Amino acid sequence: MMSAQGDPLKLDSMLCFAVYAAGHAFTRFYKPRLEALGLTYPQYLVFLVLWETDGLTVKALGDRLFLDSGTITPLVKRLESRGLLERRRGQDDERQVHIVLTDAGRALREQALAVPLAVGTALAGEREAVDTLREGLHRLRVQLDGGPGA
Amino acid sequence: MMSAQGDPLKLDSMLCFAVYAAGHAFTRFYKPRLEALGLTYPQYLVFLVLWETDGLTVKALGDRLFLDSGTITPLVKRLESRGLLERRRGQDDERQVHIVLTDAGRALREQALAVPLAVGTALAGEREAVDTLREGLHRLRVQLDGGPGA
DNA sequence: TATTTTTCAGTTGCGCACAATTGAATTGTA
DNA sequence: TACAATTCAATTGTGCGCAACTGAAAAATA
């Protein structure tokens, strides 16, 4: 009941802005922790994927993170120039480029463990709410992308 | 129970990525609707604020949207060059610049009403879940920003 | 009042994000 | 087998987002 809003354009009633603002808050929260690793947040996401599955192509990496080659390519080039990963042209399919971690890139994982720990501390005692939120956000994404059928 | 995760760095277990991905989904969803208005999403947010409270300073606008002058200044300059708003140096305080809508800027509001309508359609029958999500995201933002005391 | 500190908008530099395009490689089809 | 359509990574251009800095104005303090 009473979910009807007087002004349909009221900023604080908009789910999109709640998502946008929470994203900002995460960025602010992560910034000092990721600076210790020398990574930006999108770079951190790339490593999260590669630590799970090394050797993915630019395309597969982009699909996982909802990013395209226009974002991935320069990002991994910066990481390559720092010796954290390598870009290898596919042998079977020469259109593809595989992203492969170096020893330094793999070693970064140990330090990265501190990041989710810090999140856990900041959200201590909210584990259940966090799980609910994550599931709700997942359903939201699916709905906005056109439902399960799209 | 069972909220403990085997791998603390697992991408799909991370709330930050759920927020990040939902943000992407909103951006994709809004894009065609906002193109009809000739606005980007951050520009749309600026108008949402100004339609509620016209004449805010750059600082006040930024506080509302969690953005700083480095983002707001060029954004409103682009909107000013299109005749949608004006920037007026404060008379009482000459450091400030007030952002004031033009007739064209106010007129845009009518077309903008279609945007939340489209969201409502896409999320039809989820009103309760949407309210829950928005509140959860708000609490998350407050927690990440250091709690209610910070 | 004089001086220090703070606040504000603006600028620069770097990195993300995406649309549009290019060119090479692959796949599908005639 | 030819050739058309698709896929892939890369590039270009525009706009957001933030840190760091500048210079002017205002506020706080001595």
Side-chain angles (χ1 to χ4, degrees):
Chain A
M1 300 306 148
M2 284 304 299
S3 71
Q5 202 54 43
D7 178 359
L9 290 174
K10 198 165 178 50
L11 183 66
D12 288 325
S13 72
M14 293 205 175
L15 182 56
C16 64
F17 183 61
V19 172
Y20 182 80
H24 279 166
F26 259 123
T27 298
R28 283 191 298 274
F29 182 87
Y30 273 122
K31 177 114 4 191
R33 277 102 181 166
L34 290 179
E35 274 173 3
L37 303 184
L39 297 180
T40 65
Y41 180 66
Q43 290 170 357
Y44 173 66
L45 290 181
V46 164
F47 277 105
L48 288 181
V49 173
L50 293 176
W51 287 328
E52 281 184 29
T53 313
D54 198 1
L56 289 178
T57 65
V58 170
K59 176 77 165 66
L61 206 47
D63 286 348
R64 189 84 172 86
L65 298 176
F66 307 100
L67 300 172
D68 67 5
S69 67
T71 301
I72 299 284
T73 295
L75 188 155
V76 296
K77 277 189 172 181
R78 282 187 282 272
L79 296 175
E80 183 181 40
S81 74
R82 290 169 49 195
L84 297 172
L85 50 80
E86 289 176 10
R87 302 185 311 132
R88 296 197 195 142
R89 183 65 57 174
Q91 297 179 349
D92 47 321
D93 187 337
E94 291 193 8
R95 291 172 304 182
Q96 300 180 339
V97 168
H98 295 268
I99 310 300
V100 184
L101 291 172
T102 62
D103 288 342
R106 270 185 296 271
L108 212 56
R109 190 176 183 284
E110 287 304 309
Q111 298 169 248
L113 287 166
V115 177
L117 278 180
V119 176
T121 300
L123 304 179
E126 307 264 358
R127 238 166 255 285
E128 213 172 317
V130 165
D131 289 343
T132 305
L133 249 185
R134 194 182 52 246
E135 288 158 19
L137 287 167
H138 181 78
R139 279 199 301 277
L140 171 65
R141 186 178 62 69
V142 172
Q143 286 276 330
L144 289 175
D145 280 340
Chain B
M1 301 305 150
M2 285 306 297
S3 69
Q5 202 54 44
D7 179 359
L9 290 174
K10 198 166 176 51
L11 184 66
D12 288 324
S13 73
M14 293 204 175
L15 182 57
C16 65
F17 183 61
V19 172
Y20 183 79
H24 279 164
F26 259 122
T27 298
R28 284 191 297 275
F29 181 88
Y30 273 121
K31 177 112 6 188
R33 276 104 182 165
L34 290 180
E35 274 173 3
L37 303 184
L39 297 180
T40 65
Y41 180 65
Q43 289 169 357
Y44 173 66
L45 289 182
V46 164
F47 277 106
L48 289 181
V49 173
L50 293 175
W51 287 327
E52 280 183 29
T53 313
D54 198 1
L56 289 178
T57 64
V58 169
K59 176 76 164 66
L61 206 47
D63 285 348
R64 190 83 173 84
L65 298 175
F66 306 100
L67 299 172
D68 66 4
S69 67
T71 301
I72 299 284
T73 296
L75 189 155
V76 297
K77 277 190 172 181
R78 281 187 282 272
L79 296 174
E80 183 181 41
S81 74
R82 290 168 49 193
L84 296 172
L85 51 79
E86 289 175 9
R87 301 185 311 131
R88 295 198 195 141
R89 184 65 57 174
Q91 298 178 347
D92 48 323
D93 187 337
E94 291 192 9
R95 290 172 304 181
Q96 299 181 339
V97 168
H98 295 267
I99 311 299
V100 184
L101 291 171
T102 62
D103 288 343
R106 271 185 295 273
L108 212 57
R109 191 177 182 284
E110 287 304 308
Q111 298 169 248
L113 288 166
V115 177
L117 280 179
V119 176
T121 301
L123 304 180
E126 307 265 357
R127 236 167 256 284
E128 213 172 317
V130 165
D131 288 344
T132 305
L133 249 185
R134 193 182 53 246
E135 288 158 19
L137 287 166
H138 181 77
R139 279 198 301 276
L140 171 64
R141 185 179 61 68
V142 172
Q143 285 277 329
L144 289 175
D145 280 340

